[in-house]
Amino acid sequence: MQFVLLVPEYFIWHYTSAVRLTINIISNFLWFVYHFFSVPILIKTLITPIHGVGKGFAVPSQVIGFVVRLAAIFFAYTILAISVLFGILVVILWLLLPFIVMYLIVTGLKLILL
């Protein structure tokens, strides 16, 4: 009897709280990646010389700093885009998981009984 009461509670949790928590985990990961690469600081210091090199090498140092920072920004946004796509995939799979499990159980029972 207790199991019958547990099934609706599970589905309520699965489609409300668990989805909200999963989206929260994904957003925390995106925040971490954004700040791990220091994207705001990289954008603010895009054309400053790399490692504060002196006056004689100002222009080449600025070009090197620009290229390195631009590559880091590009890499950070690439990781963010991959993370967003992976997060969307995880949420979709989570929403479909009960149906996938039911399909696999029914398919397994058909194979056993036939």
Side-chain angles (χ1 to χ4, degrees), residues 48-62:
T48 58
I50 194 161
H51 299 298
V53 175
K55 297 176 184 175
F57 300 105
V59 175
S61 180
Q62 282 180 331

Side-chain angles (χ1 to χ4, degrees), residues 3 5 12 15 20-21 23 28 31 56 66 71 81 88 91 93 95 104 109:
F3 180 73
L5 297 175
I12 291 170
Y15 287 109
R20 200 174 317 117
L21 289 171
I23 292 171
N28 284 339
W31 180 89
F66 177 78
I88 291 170
V91 170
L93 284 175
L95 293 173
L104 291 174
L109 289 174

Side-chain angles (χ1 to χ4, degrees), residues 23 25 31 33 49 52 77-78 83 93 95 101 104 108-110 114:
I23 292 171
I25 290 169
W31 180 89
V33 169
Y77 279 118
T78 302
S83 299
L93 284 175
L95 293 173
V101 169
L104 291 174
L109 289 174
K110 283 182 184 177
L114 294 178

Side-chain angles (χ1 to χ4, degrees), residues 29-51:
F29 184 75
L30 293 175
W31 180 89
F32 166 75
V33 169
Y34 186 75
H35 287 89
F36 179 78
F37 285 101
S38 304
V39 174
I41 295 171
L42 288 174
I43 291 173
K44 286 179 188 175
T45 62
L46 195 59
I47 58 170
T48 58
I50 194 161
H51 299 298

